Amino acid sequence: MKYIGMVFLASVCVSCANTAPTPPHIPSEYVCTNRFFAVSESYDPSNLDQAHMLVKANPDRFEAHLTLASALLANKRIDDAIREFKVVDELASQVRDPAVLSGLQYEDLYAFALFVAAERRLKTDANDLYTLRMLQQVIGMDHSKLEEKGLLPRCYVYISTLYVKRGAYDSAIRTAEVGQRIAEQHRDSDSVGLLQQIVTKAKEMKNSQPDKSSVRGKPRR
């Protein structure tokens, strides 16, 4: 799975100009001092060794870290990819050049990595609150990669299920109803059925709760 087309602004990969001393043991073609980040034609976007070399050569360039995050994702090293995406966010926040930022969209890849990591955590019964926060972050990001892969409705299934587990029934109902509309748009009948079940279950559990106001209003004996 190659993401190089989504990583670099340059339409043709070229060797970067080397106007600064090359770090020791790093080939000069990995050092980029241009305004727009580019790589040599021999660069393999899924090659982790090359990606690590780019980061060593350009430690302060968010684009280099983005190539590493994408390579980690392509090699299914999801947790490592997420950590690297966080570095990308931190470095990109310091860039004030709109042309550089606008040409390097990666949020959809970041959201996809978070979704995969959250799904893995669910399968191992990991801390459900942390998993819920990850999935909530995904919903607030560019989730076009999830839509492309038909995974967005499943994200709402997971979130609403975790809300039910935590007793947040109103949130579960609202989330499941939104997810149901999205699943219908994507013609995902399996997710539609699951989300309908979640709504029904959440309403039943909510109605079975004791009336807190009446409990508070009881006189003490």
Side-chain angles (χ1 to χ4, degrees):
M1 184 164 51
K2 293 193 175 184
Y3 300 100
I4 192 67
M6 307 183 71
V7 174
F8 296 109
L9 179 66
S11 58
V12 178
C13 293
V14 295
S15 297
C16 298
N18 183 20
T19 59
T22 303
H25 312 302
I26 297 177
S28 60
E29 64 264 24
Y30 283 95
V31 181
C32 185
T33 57
N34 290 350
R35 177 188 181 194
F36 298 121
F37 201 83
V39 293
S40 65
E41 293 181 355
S42 61
Y43 182 79
D44 179 356
S46 64
N47 188 306
L48 285 172
D49 290 335
Q50 290 185 338
H52 280 293
M53 189 71 74
L54 271 177
V55 169
K56 288 180 181 179
N58 310 276
D60 298 325
R61 295 288 297 254
F62 80 92
E63 303 99 319
H65 289 272
L66 181 53
T67 64
L68 177 55
S70 300
L72 288 165
L73 184 57
N75 283 274
K76 300 182 180 180
R77 290 176 52 179
I78 305 301
D79 292 335
D80 292 334
I82 290 172
R83 282 191 288 271
E84 200 63 28
F85 275 123
K86 290 178 180 178
V87 176
V88 176
D89 270 354
E90 182 178 351
L91 292 175
S93 67
Q94 301 170 21
V95 176
R96 297 292 178 265
D97 189 333
V100 170
L101 292 173
S102 64
L104 292 165
Q105 303 299 325
Y106 60 91
E107 194 174 276
D108 59 333
L109 296 181
Y110 192 177
F112 176 72
L114 283 170
F115 172 83
V116 173
E119 190 172 51
R120 289 181 177 179
R121 289 178 62 86
L122 284 171
K123 292 178 180 178
T124 58
D125 293 326
N127 184 298
D128 63 326
L129 180 58
Y130 186 73
T131 304
L132 176 61
R133 294 290 179 258
M134 293 174 71
L135 292 167
Q136 288 172 328
Q137 185 177 350
V138 170
I139 293 300
M141 299 171 72
D142 174 3
H143 37 66
S144 56
K145 177 61 65 175
L146 289 176
E147 293 189 67
E148 176 187 319
K149 293 180 174 293
L151 296 172
L152 186 57
R154 193 186 303 178
C155 189
Y156 282 88
V157 170
Y158 292 153
I159 295 175
S160 54
T161 298
L162 288 170
Y163 274 137
V164 171
K165 184 177 180 181
R166 298 188 62 80
Y169 303 123
D170 288 333
S171 296
I173 293 167
R174 286 195 298 269
T175 302
E177 288 176 343
V178 172
Q180 187 176 331
R181 290 194 291 271
I182 292 173
E184 289 170 349
Q185 292 170 2
H186 286 77
R187 298 181 180 178
D188 185 345
S189 57
D190 290 339
S191 293
V192 170
L194 288 172
L195 290 160
Q196 288 174 337
Q197 292 175 23
I198 292 169
V199 170
T200 300
K201 182 178 180 180
K203 289 180 177 179
E204 289 175 350
M205 296 183 74
K206 177 183 177 182
N207 293 333
S208 66
Q209 287 183 310
D211 188 339
K212 294 181 181 180
S213 62
S214 62
V215 172
R216 286 197 299 267
K218 284 185 177 180
R220 295 183 179 179
R221 294 184 178 179

